[in-house]
Structure formats: structure tokens, C-alpha cells
Amino acid sequence: MATPNGTADAPIEVSSAPTVVGINFGNSYASIAVLTKEGLADCIANEDGERQIACTLAFHGEELYVGNQAKHQLIKHPQNTITGFRNLLGKKFSELPSNKPTVSAPVIQHPDLPDVPAYKVQVLQASPTPLSTTASNTPAASHAATPRSEPTPAERVLTVSEVTIIFLKSLVQSAEDFLGRKVQGAVISVPAWFEEAQKVALEEAAAEAGINVLQLLEEAGAAAVTTTFGPPAEGLKADRTQLLVDLGSSGLELSLLSIRDGLAYSLATLSDHSVGGDAIDNKLMKYFAKEFTKKTKTPLVVCPAGDAQDRRAEAKLRLAVEHTKRTISASPGTATCSVESLKDGLDFTGSITRLRFDMEVRSVYETVLARVRELVAVAGLDLYDVDEIVYIGGSTSLPGLDDALAQSFTGTVVTPFTTGTVVGGGVGDPTTILARGCALQAKVLALLAEGTEEEREVKKAFTRGSKWTQAKATSKTIGMLFPEEGAGDGTLGGQWIPAVLRETPVPCRRVVTFDVDLGEGEREKRAGFEVWEVKEGIKIENVKPPRGEEDEAEEDEEEEAEIEVKEKTIEKENLLASLVLVAKEAKLVNGRWTTTLEVQFLINDSGDIEVSASEVGASGKGEKTVVSIPSA
């Protein structure tokens, strides 16, 4: 009998390095993370105290607003407020949908640049009035302040890149104000569906904003960096299958990753821009609009709005329901929605329970679950193969979404709700996970840039187009089988110890240490095992649910419905090798001989395997027994 010996991961130490930050640049919200003295990543607030900064710019007279202050301008000055510009980066005007409704400044074709999307806003501009020639020749005039004319209305046309530059400058300025020193580099998150032209446009805009971009990190990668930093959460193994659910305002992004010894390998991705956080907001606004009409007898039509008054009421409701969603996420009770002068000077205060809220947005939850099923099927896996669900975005903080998803997975699946880290900046906080992952990645890249020539070569692996960004992975789980007499097929015919799980990026190295029961007797002790590739699957059975005494006493007229029960299975597929070595360090324990083995698996990027085994005793490691297995 063989028993693996587990060891806990050592804490990660982070030394001093250049000042770097992580930026989560979303289409609706952005956040900035810096590293603390302890080497942990933490999201910081801007000068307005916002950790989640709205990706919004607003022009009002001579003033420019950035962030949540700008978002409030959607009520009175929507035509001068710019939102949703990130997704337009690197796009041509002719590529944009012409019939998409907008609640802010519309996108126009730039009047001077062909096929370039832009925004036209109204501003007030003031220009100095030149002094007269006579006055300028007097001694007193040389010291007089230049008078300022009254501001005059003017039009200002801004390209998407110029809007992005203004916004990124404000983010970096907030970070520098917080840190008290200049930011020397940043890692910025990007969605997986960003095309090369969009990535180039973002890099160029960031450079114009004075940002040294160390890497554009895909959002799935940023989340993986955060969740693999330090030891795994309780109930999780270091090697696991991770599902990322990113429900942004404008779309759903799903990623399935295999996490192997701290390395993340993408199994499948899926994007759906027909569902997102905005769909939840729209359903909630329609619910409260009906409540307003019912209470006041004043008709209110939203999403889409009917007229100018309805559009203004919709903008007010959109801001109010964000607070309602946060309350629903944090409290199991009732959440309120209050708006002053919603329409025709009438105030509105409505309430909704979590149960009613979940009923209203049930279709969104069901769509997310359907897309998750598609993603897992594309990867050739089952929902029961998923060990961990990671949420990204404020809309995924809703407990109803977690309930709708988790019930389809195994009961042991770990989510931020099961670990209690869904809020408060913890590892599983959906609103900060991307920025913190970018900050941790920026720290690694900054350290490599300052290191040896070999470390700088490693840094090149993080650039787009590097061969290391196209890693291969194992297709089957490889492990050791210790045959046992009388063991049935249900146990593979012996004791099974997995060593290299399927979907492990190669090249890789795995070391497994375990105790082996050698049996009784005085003969020469030998330890041996077989190396197998195995096929993993899911066994599905339909069984009748257990019945209680009361149920048995009643006669059911209808046949009782069966329930589906799933169970993970393992089958032997390919015998790769056999190893036998003499146990010179065996000890007699309770009448049975035991020894400790250390087995190492090395797999190169061509798929060749080297397995080496040695006995571990009081005098150290014994002689190695090595077998080489060429790739098929």
C-alpha cells in the first residue's frame, strides 16, 4: 500500500523593486492595485475615494469630470458624457453597429480622419484678450495680469484614443498621488477577445498617457495570478480545474483553466455579448418603472425609454439600481431604490426582496449556466470536473448567480461564497481580482527586468508572440499503480497515485514521495509499480431518491421521478513502464516491512517521459532506478 506525503506551500516573499501598478481597464469600471510592503496586492482609491472608478468622462462648461462624478452627468448632460469607449479602441467607424442604442454621447465619424470613431462634445473655452499696443508700452502694463475673456461655447471632437489617454492619465495620477512617487511600469488587463489592432491601440494610448506598459495581460491570466498567489483556499488542491466567470456590463466572458503547480493552462474560452450586467440592470429598472407607474399612475417607459423625460428618468434609475444591487449582494433582506423627482416632479421609493430579485433576473442566470455548459463541453469535460469557480466583475457578487451555478456542479466545488472571500478585498473579491493580479504580475516582470541576463530572457516569454505563450499540455493523467491481488476493476486493480494530471503544461517536473507497504516475511524486499496513462470520465446513473418512513406509508399514484447521480471514474488505458528496486532501507513496523520512495516524473515539450525512483532512508536517498518512455 502506498500513501502520498503532502507538504504545504511555502509563503512567497517579494523584495523591493521599481514602482509598478496593476490596472484593470474595463469597459464600465477600472481599478488600480499597488503592492504593499508585505508583497500583497491592494486596490487603492482615487482622490474621490473610489476604488471602482467608472470609465466615464463628462464635459460641463469648462470642467472635465472623470469617474463616478462624470457618471452623474448622464442625468443632465448625457450628450456631453462619454462611456463605453474601451471596447471601441482600435476599431474603425465602419466596423461599429449603427443601430446600437446609447445613453451617452453618440459615436460619430471624425470629420478630419477617415473611418475613425470619435465623440463630439460642447465645452466652454476662454482665451486671453491681448493688450492694446498703447497699453503694452507703458511700464505699468508690463506687470499687469493678462485679462481673461468670457468663456465662449465651442465644439470639441475627441477620438477614442484621446479619450482613453485622458482616462489613463487620471488613473496613473491617482496611483502616484497615493504612492508619493512616479509609477515606472504597469500591467494592464485586456479581454480575451481583444484583437491585435485593439491591443496595439491600447499600448499606444497608454504610452501617450506616460505609462510604461510591461504587459497586456488577458483577464483570465490576471485572475489566475491572483488565485495562485500563495497557498490554495481550504478544500482546494494546488492542481485543480478552474472556471472563470466574468460577467461584465457589456458581455459574458468564460474561461476554463487547468491550474498545475501554480501554472495556468487555458482549456477553452467563450464570449457572449448578448448577456451582461447591463441586462440585469435593465430588468431591475423595468421592475421599478412598473412599480412607479402603479403607485403614481404616471406612465414610465424604460429600456428603451419612450421620450426625453423617460430617458432622464432612466438615467436616474440606472444610477439608483447600482446601489440596490450592492445591497442585494450584501444582505439577505430587502433592498430599496430611492430616486428624487423621478418623473413629473414625483419622488419614488421602491423595495425588492432577494427572492423577487432572483426571479426577475432568472433568465440571465440561466443564460450564464447554459454558456458554462457549452464551454465545459467544448473542453471535453463535465461540470463535475470543475474544482473551483472564480467570479470577476461586480455583477458576479450576486448570491443568486452563485446558487444558480453551484447547484449544477459537485457539492465540493469551491466558490468565493463558500470561502467567504466574495467581498472586502479578499482573494475571491470579484471587483478587485483583476487589478490585484495585474499588480502581482507587474512585480514579477519588474524583478526579472532588473535581474540577470537569464532572467531578462525569461521576461521575454511574457511578450505576445513568444513560443512560451503557445504551451503544450498532457492529454492524459499519468501516475503509478501498485498492483494488489484480489483488487477489482473498480480500484484499477491496485493502489493508484496520480503524478502528472491531464492538461498539465509541458515541460514539467513532478516529484511524489510516499510510503510503501512491502508485506511480511524475511525475503529480500522489493518495491515495484507500474506507470499508466488513465482515462478519466463521469459515470451517470438515474436512481430513485431515498424514501422516509412517512413516504413509505403513503401510496403514490404516480411513479416516483428518478434523480441523476454522477460519479468520477478512472480506467487504465496505456501501460507505459514498470519499475522495480531493492528496498535496502526497509523498516519493520507492527510486523510489516515499509519503506519510503521518491519518484520523479520529467516530461519535455516533445512528450518524452523520464521516470526515476529512489528509496529515501536515514542515510538519505538511495540509488536511482530510471526508465525512459518516448512519446507515442
Side-chain angles (χ1 to χ4, degrees):
M1 184 69 69
T3 307
N5 296 330
T7 57
D9 290 342
I12 299 175
E13 295 183 1
V14 180
S15 61
S16 59
T19 304
V20 292
V21 298
I23 298 176
N24 169 31
F25 183 27
N27 195 47
S28 295
Y29 285 92
S31 50
I32 322 160
V34 301
L35 285 108
T36 64
K37 294 180 180 178
E38 293 78 19
L40 303 175
D42 187 25
C43 275
I44 63 172
N46 64 5
E47 57 275 10
D48 296 321
E50 305 162 354
R51 295 183 186 274
Q52 295 302 301
I53 304 161
C55 295
T56 308
L57 268 64
F59 297 84
H60 180 48
E62 298 178 89
E63 299 295 329
L64 168 63
Y65 299 97
V66 179
N68 291 354
Q69 284 190 8
K71 202 166 186 181
H72 283 84
Q73 295 296 316
L74 284 169
I75 298 173
K76 293 184 178 181
H77 308 286
Q79 73 283 356
N80 269 9
T81 305
I82 300 173
T83 62
F85 52 88
R86 186 209 64 174
N87 287 358
L88 305 185
L89 268 173
K91 293 284 189 179
K92 296 179 180 179
F93 181 77
S94 57
E95 297 174 338
L96 306 182
S98 57
N99 57 351
K100 186 176 181 180
T102 179
V103 297
S104 58
V107 182
I108 64 169
Q109 181 169 308
H110 197 285
D112 301 323
L113 303 174
D115 213 12
V116 173
Y119 301 92
K120 182 169 64 176
V121 295
Q122 302 294 324
V123 298
L124 290 178
Q125 289 186 167
S127 57
T129 301
L131 298 176
S132 64
T133 307
T134 305
S136 63
N137 291 331
T138 62
S142 62
H143 300 286
T146 303
R148 190 170 179 269
S149 66
E150 287 297 322
T152 56
E155 285 186 350
R156 185 176 178 186
V157 178
L158 296 163
T159 65
V160 174
S161 292
E162 288 172 335
V163 172
T164 304
I165 291 168
I166 294 172
F167 183 75
L168 291 178
K169 276 185 177 179
S170 71
L171 290 185
V172 174
Q173 187 61 53
S174 296
E176 291 178 347
D177 291 344
F178 177 85
L179 296 168
R181 54 188 182 274
K182 185 172 179 60
V183 171
Q184 297 170 287
V187 169
I188 305 176
S189 67
V190 292
W193 53 265
F194 245 37
E195 299 172 355
E196 186 64 23
Q198 295 180 278
K199 294 177 181 178
V200 171
L202 176 54
E203 286 181 326
E204 291 176 349
E208 286 290 325
I211 302 173
N212 174 27
V213 179
L214 301 175
Q215 184 185 5
L216 294 181
L217 181 61
E218 287 192 3
E219 292 170 346
V225 171
T226 306
T227 55
T228 56
F229 181 78
E234 184 177 354
L236 274 180
K237 298 179 180 178
D239 291 346
R240 59 193 185 274
T241 301
Q242 185 182 84
L243 170 67
L244 302 178
V245 180
D246 184 352
L247 188 62
S249 63
S250 58
L252 172 68
E253 305 293 329
L254 299 174
S255 299
L256 194 64
L257 305 178
S258 69
I259 307 295
R260 301 292 184 259
D261 201 28
L263 294 176
Y265 178 76
S266 177
L267 303 177
T269 60
L270 183 149
S271 298
D272 185 350
H273 292 280
S274 67
V275 62
D278 284 346
I280 296 176
D281 292 350
N282 292 345
K283 290 181 178 294
L284 197 53
M285 285 191 291
K286 287 181 179 180
Y287 173 83
F288 285 126
K290 289 180 182 179
E291 289 291 304
F292 174 80
T293 300
K294 183 178 179 181
K295 289 182 178 181
T296 65
K297 309 303 180 184
T298 301
L300 174 59
V301 180
V302 298
C303 306
D307 53 29
Q309 280 191 317
D310 286 350
R311 284 195 294 272
R312 185 167 181 177
E314 180 181 310
K316 289 184 175 182
L317 264 181
R318 194 173 295 276
L319 292 175
V321 297
E322 288 190 10
H323 175 75
T324 305
K325 285 199 306 181
R326 293 190 185 101
T327 305
I328 286 288
S329 300
S331 172
T334 301
T336 60
C337 177
S338 298
V339 183
E340 291 185 5
S341 186
L342 181 56
K343 186 177 180 182
D344 293 345
L346 298 172
D347 298 339
F348 170 70
T349 298
S351 62
I352 188 170
T353 63
R354 179 181 286 181
L355 178 60
R356 182 66 188 181
F357 176 88
D358 289 339
M359 290 175 60
E360 291 293 325
V361 302
R362 175 61 58 183
S363 61
V364 177
Y365 296 164
E366 290 175 350
T367 301
V368 174
L369 178 57
R371 298 296 178 266
V372 167
R373 292 184 185 277
E374 289 180 26
L375 175 79
V376 175
V378 167
L381 300 178
D382 188 273
L383 294 181
Y384 264 41
D385 291 315
V386 176
D387 304 303
E388 178 185 21
I389 303 177
V390 175
Y391 294 126
I392 303 169
S395 295
T396 57
S397 299
L398 296 168
L401 176 62
D402 182 68
D403 293 339
L405 294 182
Q407 64 184 359
S408 298
F409 292 80
T410 177
T412 58
V413 68
V414 175
T415 78
F417 287 87
T418 62
T419 57
T421 59
V422 73
V423 293
V427 172
D429 187 344
T431 62
T432 65
I433 189 170
L434 295 184
R436 289 184 289 118
C438 288
L440 293 169
Q441 181 77 346
K443 192 74 170 183
V444 172
L445 296 179
L447 289 172
L448 290 174
E450 284 198 332
T452 64
E453 182 63 30
E454 182 180 1
E455 289 173 328
R456 287 193 289 273
E457 285 295 318
V458 173
K459 181 179 182 295
K460 294 180 181 178
F462 294 95
T463 59
R464 297 200 306 277
S466 166
K467 68 175 182 178
W468 300 111
T469 63
Q470 306 296 325
K472 301 177 183 178
T474 59
S475 59
K476 305 286 184 181
T477 294
I478 302 170
M480 296 161 286
L481 180 66
F482 288 79
E484 295 177 353
E485 294 182 4
D489 292 338
T491 58
L492 298 177
Q495 175 72 18
W496 168 252
I497 299 179
V500 183
L501 300 183
R502 62 178 173 178
E503 310 299 354
T504 296
V506 295
C508 71
R509 173 179 178 267
R510 293 293 185 271
V511 178
V512 185
T513 304
F514 48 87
D515 297 328
V516 181
D517 185 348
L518 303 176
E520 303 173 342
E522 298 296 332
R523 64 185 184 279
E524 182 182 46
K525 301 296 176 288
R526 293 177 177 269
F529 59 85
E530 299 170 347
V531 180
W532 281 88
E533 274 187 341
V534 298
K535 179 181 179 181
E536 297 174 89
I538 300 293
K539 181 181 179 182
I540 303 176
E541 291 184 346
N542 293 321
V543 299
K544 292 184 177 180
R547 303 177 63 185
E549 295 181 0
E550 295 181 359
D551 296 330
E552 293 176 357
E554 298 178 359
E555 293 183 1
D556 297 330
E557 296 182 0
E558 298 181 2
E559 185 178 352
E560 192 169 9
E562 295 182 335
I563 59 174
E564 189 177 81
V565 177
K566 294 183 178 182
E567 181 184 0
K568 292 184 178 181
T569 61
I570 300 177
E571 299 178 12
K572 293 188 292 187
E573 189 161 281
N574 295 319
L575 176 62
L576 302 180
S578 297
L579 276 81
V580 178
L581 65 161
V582 177
K584 298 178 180 180
E585 299 283 346
K587 296 180 180 180
L588 191 62
V589 179
N590 297 326
R592 301 186 68 84
W593 293 95
T594 63
T595 191
T596 301
L597 295 185
E598 181 182 280
V599 181
Q600 174 179 272
F601 286 74
L602 288 175
I603 306 179
N604 62 22
D605 54 1
S606 299
D608 300 330
I609 306 171
E610 180 186 282
V611 183
S612 59
S614 59
E615 190 179 21
V616 180
S619 58
K621 295 182 184 178
E623 183 179 351
K624 280 187 178 182
T625 300
V626 181
V627 60
S628 295
I629 309 165
S631 61

